[in-house]
Amino acid sequence: MKFSFRPVEGVFYDLFTKASLNLVKGTELLNELALPGVDVQSVSERLSDVEHDSDAITHELYKKINSTFITPFDRADIYSLGSQLDDVMDHLEAVGNLLYLYGLTELPSLPREMHELINVLDQQAKITSEAMPRLRSMKGLEEYWIEINRLENDGDRAYRMLLVRLFSGEYDALTVLKMKEVADELEAACDAFEHVANTVETIAVKES
């Protein structure tokens, strides 16, 4: 494999930023599910398109790691951050796909707590996309991981209240099983955003 001996720091930062902007696209698509008369199949298909784009960004990142002699920070941390950003997108896509495949949007309405979780994810995505460009200077990042942690706690509370509603007897058993799987993906996405923030904190501490 041909190695580049010239630092290509900008490439890595650009790829992190592109990946985080795709997460914003993903949560915006999930928010469309709350709109009346939404075409759920279209939302699911567009989420899949964004996920495929995220996969391509991740593969490009891995290629750069393997072909670059000098990286802006630890290779393992670059790999971990790229992989974790991709994990978030995987969970977002799974939410849209499950809602469509299970026909859950045909219910009179999705549980309020499910929309609250999606709102938390939307906030996490926007904050993450604002933070990624700051990796270049490693400045102003502490407020980012603190806020992501706070939002993850909000997500946990919404998830627990969603479980309470699901097992309250309001829904039939089959619907509960379907919505529980969606709820688990939403909660996993919240956690995955926190994993990204934890890795950014680790990188910032190492580079300080």
Side-chain angles (χ1 to χ4, degrees):
M1 180 178 288
K2 184 179 179 181
F3 278 81
S4 170
F5 286 83
R6 296 175 59 193
V8 288
E9 295 184 3
V11 174
F12 291 106
Y13 298 129
D14 289 345
L15 290 171
F16 289 140
T17 298
K18 286 180 181 178
S20 66
L21 289 172
N22 270 353
L23 299 181
V24 175
K25 292 179 184 177
T27 58
E28 287 176 346
L29 284 169
L30 288 184
N31 270 318
E32 285 189 26
L33 296 171
L35 300 176
V38 63
D39 184 341
V40 184
Q41 182 177 358
S42 172
V43 171
S44 178
E45 290 173 351
R46 282 180 285 153
L47 270 169
S48 293
D49 289 341
V50 176
E51 193 275 333
H52 292 155
D53 187 43
S54 290
D55 281 345
I57 292 169
T58 305
H59 292 316
E60 179 66 18
L61 181 71
Y62 293 165
K63 283 172 57 180
K64 289 297 180 185
I65 294 172
N66 292 328
S67 63
T68 303
F69 186 71
I70 301 173
T71 55
F73 46 87
D74 188 88
R75 291 173 188 274
D77 290 333
I78 293 174
Y79 182 92
S80 180
L81 183 55
S83 177
Q84 288 166 354
L85 287 165
D86 192 48
D87 286 345
V88 179
M89 192 65 239
D90 288 342
H91 291 302
L92 298 180
E93 183 201 21
V95 171
N97 285 348
L98 289 171
L99 285 170
Y100 168 60
L101 293 172
Y102 286 160
L104 291 172
T105 51
E106 295 176 7
L107 296 170
S109 64
L110 292 173
R112 182 188 71 254
E113 296 82 3
M114 194 169 282
H115 291 301
E116 289 174 359
L117 268 165
I118 291 173
N119 182 57
V120 168
L121 290 171
D122 191 48
Q123 293 179 67
Q124 286 181 310
K126 288 181 170 64
I127 293 168
T128 300
S129 70
E130 292 167 1
M132 287 301 109
R134 298 205 293 271
L135 283 169
R136 291 177 185 268
S137 64
M138 294 293 171
K139 294 179 180 177
L141 286 166
E142 184 175 1
E143 60 189 27
Y144 151 67
W145 63 67
I146 290 174
E147 181 62 7
I148 287 291
N149 179 264
R150 186 192 68 77
L151 286 167
E152 195 275 335
N153 290 335
D154 286 348
D156 278 346
R157 283 190 288 272
Y159 173 72
R160 288 193 293 269
M161 293 310 297
L162 176 55
L163 294 185
V164 170
R165 178 182 288 258
L166 292 183
F167 295 110
S168 68
E170 182 176 343
Y171 302 97
D172 64 83
L174 183 57
T175 299
V176 169
L177 288 174
K178 292 175 179 179
M179 286 207 286
K180 173 66 164 57
E181 192 170 346
V182 175
D184 288 346
E185 288 290 348
L186 288 167
E187 200 257 347
C190 283
D191 288 346
F193 270 117
E194 187 176 39
H195 296 159
V196 170
N198 289 342
T199 296
V200 169
E201 182 177 7
T202 297
I203 293 168
V205 169
K206 286 182 180 179
E207 297 298 313
S208 63

